[in-house]
Amino acid sequence: MSSLNAESTAYRSALDVVRTVEPRVADAIAAELADQRASLKLIASENYASPAVLLAMGNWFSDKYAEGTIGRRFYAGCRNVDTVEAIAAEHARELFGAPHAYVQPHSGIDANLVAFWAILADRVEAPALRKAQARQVNDLTEEDWFALRRELGNQRMLGMSLDAGGHLTHGFRPNISGKMFDQRSYGTDPATGLIDYAALRQTAKEFKPLVLVGGYSAYPRKVNFRILREIADEVGATFMVDMAHFAGLVAGKVFTGDFDPVPYAHIVTTTTHKSLRGPRGGLVLCQPELADQVDRGCPMVLGGPLPHVMAAKAVALAEARQPTFADYAQRIVDNAQALAEGLLRRGVRLVTGGTDNHLVLIDTTGFGLTGRQAEQALLDAGIVTNRNSIPQDPNGAWYTSGIRIGTPALTTRGLGTAQMDETADLINTVLSQTKPGVGPDGAPSKAKYVLDPALADRIAKQADELLAGFPLYPSVDLG
Ligand code: PLP
């Protein structure tokens, strides 16, 4: 039986089983595949996992509790969970050249929480225990425990500002990290849009953070992690990198030397579902001195592990160790650069004037639009993107003045640089034909816009034609 038939048979059978219990869910699953096949997906944080990854998730591992870590569980009967967790961790270590890997985090946020609390346990809790000659927190007096809790809540973090492309989990108030840490941000040089390493060093020297965070979700350039580690060492900070967005480029050896965070950071976190192309989830890599603290992630901040997702992570990490993945990673960047060049040639304003990675940030003020207006207009034309702040954004974090576009998903689908130029043309046509709208009182609106529906339909048709040559999940036929 060919692989096409095996995958189609697997999915048809699975949906038939679901349909016997709740047909609406089976229909929604099938409809989701149809929607994904039909959309020009330029969301920088999304991808398409392989059928092997997806199938590894739908099984009886989901039924198992396995709190603890490999070989040290709070539940009996975990030998098969131990097997998949060990395989996933081994692939992660080998893929990234890291001394230790922890593959339990359920998401990127969870991976960051594991990292933050591993750092706090190492830098704050362990010295307090030593000082009190206590083996563990339960041995502390009420007074020492109170003092330790106050100390844990009184630490500093330095991370990239949100409008420069940092992430909410890097110490911002709406997220738990901002409630845990006293946070200060570093940003980019207004003239170039690039990280201002001299200003960062100065801020670090003044602020003296316990944790220096590198990594981003909307910065279109390489980051020099050697310099960040030097700065961390100068001020006695633990250096953490959140490579959630660009882990695939590290895995595929597009980012090497100073641009590979793994040799430089004390601790690295990532999601597994963005450019890495695995299941939804997270993982943590670290130096040996933090390994014990990281392995306490469950039950420290995580609930029971998701063994079915760890199985899928193992499959995805095995895929990323294949030579073809390096080729995929390079094509992601080639495509992003072709998309950027196509936009620039058409006069579109880009933050930093281009890209070194998988994402491009369009400055929508060049079209007289907010990010929100641009995002919705593109959606009307079948182009799925998301709005994003740009440095010194005049429209705030809700309406924004940017559109973030990324190439991991379309690259998985097989689109190449020629199609990126066509994509740039579609985007430019929509945005240049969209006009800002007015609210009910006639005042300018940051949300309303005017786009001729006939034009939107024409672009959506062109997007369909572009995608038709690159079928998504070609081996899956749901009938
Ligand atoms: N870290 C960064 C840099 C991200 O971009 C994201 C998600 O967008 C996360 C963490 C959070 O990941 P998750 O949604 O899996 O919790």
Side-chain angles (χ1 to χ4, degrees):
M1 187 186 279
S2 74
S3 80
L4 182 142
N5 289 335
E7 286 161 15
S8 300
T9 306
Y11 282 108
R12 285 184 192 199
S13 307
L15 286 178
D16 283 348
V17 173
V18 174
R19 193 164 283 115
T20 61
V21 181
E22 180 42 288
R24 291 174 301 176
V25 170
D27 290 347
I29 294 170
E32 180 60 23
L33 177 61
D35 282 0
Q36 296 212 18
R37 281 176 164 161
S39 66
L40 192 71
K41 179 154 93 172
L42 282 161
I43 295 193
S45 52
E46 292 188 7
N47 210 328
Y48 304 109
S50 72
V53 168
L54 298 179
L55 285 167
M57 253 184 298
N59 57 66
W60 25 94
F61 265 131
S62 171
D63 300 333
K64 193 74 197 94
Y65 246 112
E67 285 188 12
T69 49
I70 306 161
R72 267 194 300 135
R73 305 283 182 188
F74 293 87
Y75 284 78
C78 296
R79 70 188 174 110
N80 299 311
V81 178
D82 278 357
T83 300
V84 295
E85 185 168 350
I87 295 170
E90 178 192 307
H91 281 314
R93 286 193 307 272
E94 294 292 326
L95 177 64
F96 292 109
H100 185 73
Y102 181 67
V103 298
Q104 289 191 19
H106 309 162
S107 71
I109 282 195
D110 290 1
N112 286 348
L113 278 177
V114 170
F116 297 153
W117 282 102
I119 295 168
L120 288 168
D122 178 56
R123 298 283 308 272
V124 180
E125 184 177 295
L129 291 178
R130 276 197 298 275
K131 191 167 158 218
Q133 297 187 328
R135 207 174 54 81
Q136 48 136 326
V137 286
N138 286 337
D139 301 335
L140 291 174
T141 62
E142 282 299 306
E143 198 184 349
D144 284 347
W145 175 231
F146 184 76
L148 172 57
R149 286 182 55 224
R150 237 196 0 215
E151 194 61 16
L152 287 167
N154 196 26
Q155 300 302 321
R156 294 174 175 181
M157 169 176 286
L158 178 59
M160 194 172 199
S161 70
L162 276 183
D163 69 353
H167 193 256
L168 211 59
T169 56
H170 301 174
F172 294 94
R173 290 181 188 182
N175 178 256
I176 181 89
S177 56
K179 297 169 172 74
M180 287 163 54
F181 288 98
D182 176 12
Q183 197 259 23
R184 203 169 285 180
S185 299
Y186 57 88
T188 47
D189 180 337
T192 61
L194 304 178
I195 291 177
D196 184 339
Y197 293 99
L200 196 171
R201 175 174 265 119
Q202 190 54 34
T203 307
K205 282 185 170 160
E206 285 162 16
F207 188 55
K208 297 201 176 15
L210 181 85
V211 190
L212 172 62
V213 184
Y216 53 79
S217 50
Y219 180 67
R221 294 295 179 177
K222 286 179 177 170
V223 175
N224 189 317
F225 296 110
R226 182 182 52 75
I227 299 179
L228 289 194
R229 173 59 189 260
E230 276 168 21
I231 295 171
D233 285 347
E234 284 167 26
V235 302
T238 299
F239 180 35
M240 167 181 160
V241 174
D242 177 351
M243 63 172 184
H245 259 263
F246 55 91
L249 306 185
V250 177
K253 307 283 178 264
V254 177
F255 284 179
T256 56
D258 292 352
F259 309 107
D260 174 355
V262 180
Y264 291 108
H266 298 100
I267 191 161
V268 176
T269 59
T270 183
T271 53
T272 46
H273 47 271
K274 303 186 205 281
S275 55
L276 198 51
R277 207 165 59 179
R280 304 201 72 77
L283 63 85
V284 180
L285 309 169
C286 67
Q287 296 302 318
E289 62 271 21
L290 285 169
D292 282 351
Q293 305 291 7
V294 164
D295 281 351
R296 292 194 177 96
C298 165
M300 172 72 173
V301 293
L302 300 173
L306 310 177
H308 54 309
V309 181
M310 293 197 290
K313 285 176 191 172
V315 174
L317 291 162
E319 287 177 350
R321 290 183 66 193
Q322 302 290 323
T324 49
F325 193 85
D327 174 56
Y328 165 64
Q330 186 56 54
R331 284 188 292 113
I332 290 176
V333 178
D334 292 346
N335 278 344
Q337 291 178 339
L339 191 52
E341 280 157 26
L343 291 165
L344 289 169
R345 247 199 324 276
R346 291 168 176 85
V348 179
R349 223 187 274 166
L350 304 182
V351 174
T352 79
T355 181
D356 300 326
N357 56 21
H358 63 297
L359 69 89
V360 176
L361 198 54
I362 296 176
D363 175 350
T364 56
T365 62
F367 293 101
L369 299 171
T370 63
R372 165 122 181 187
Q373 290 163 330
E375 173 196 84
Q376 292 302 309
L378 287 168
L379 191 63
D380 289 352
I383 302 172
V384 188
T385 63
N386 67 284
R387 66 187 184 279
N388 210 100
S389 298
I390 61 171
Q392 293 89 44
D393 199 309
N395 286 314
W398 178 250
Y399 293 108
T400 81
S401 306
I403 286 289
R404 185 185 68 168
I405 51 181
T407 52
L410 290 185
T411 306
T412 295
R413 240 179 130 138
L415 279 79
T417 51
Q419 289 76 41
M420 291 303 113
D421 193 58
E422 248 179 287
T423 304
D425 195 50
L426 299 181
I427 292 171
N428 180 53
T429 305
V430 172
L431 296 184
S432 54
Q433 297 300 316
T434 302
K435 301 292 163 229
V438 290
D441 53 357
S445 164
K446 291 187 179 192
K448 297 208 179 311
Y449 60 95
V450 182
L451 172 65
D452 176 5
L455 179 91
D457 285 352
R458 178 169 66 76
I459 299 293
K461 231 161 117 228
Q462 278 178 257
D464 276 352
E465 282 160 16
L466 183 64
L467 290 174
F470 304 91
L472 178 63
Y473 296 115
S475 57
V476 178
D477 174 5
L478 295 185

